[in-house]
Amino acid sequence: MTSDIPPQLNLDARWDACHDLALRRCIYSSFAGVASAFVFFKGPVTRWATVAFATGLGVGSAFADCSHIMEGAFPNLRRPTGSHSQTTNLELRTEEQP
């Protein structure tokens, strides 16, 4: 049975690819974090921090690749260019003490 939906409009296949990519990268980076934590660090806090950092790298890279797969369907979280001028024009008002 063939589908008449063009591949660029087939959201099911793209979501499946994103879920597969995110799951694999999260698991693989977590395993890499666990292995490097046991090799390089002794304390439990630094080991957990290493695992969390590695997992975050995997999730971040999966999000970046999924946004390319979805062709920009995810929101762009960059700071707008006009917001810097708004924050610099704020004035601090202080009350003078007698």
Side-chain angles (χ1 to χ4, degrees), residues 26-89:
C26 184
I27 290 173
Y28 291 157
S29 63
S30 296
F31 284 151
V34 167
S36 62
F38 279 113
V39 170
F40 295 117
F41 300 110
K42 289 184 179 182
V45 174
T46 53
R47 284 183 176 174
W48 279 111
T50 305
V51 172
F53 179 74
T55 305
L57 285 177
V59 169
S61 68
F63 179 81
D65 284 349
C66 282
S67 67
H68 290 294
I69 290 172
M70 292 293 195
E71 298 171 356
F74 298 121
N76 190 358
L77 300 177
R78 285 190 220 143
R79 185 177 187 179
T81 56
S83 67
H84 180 63
S85 62
Q86 294 173 354
T87 58
T88 57
N89 292 333

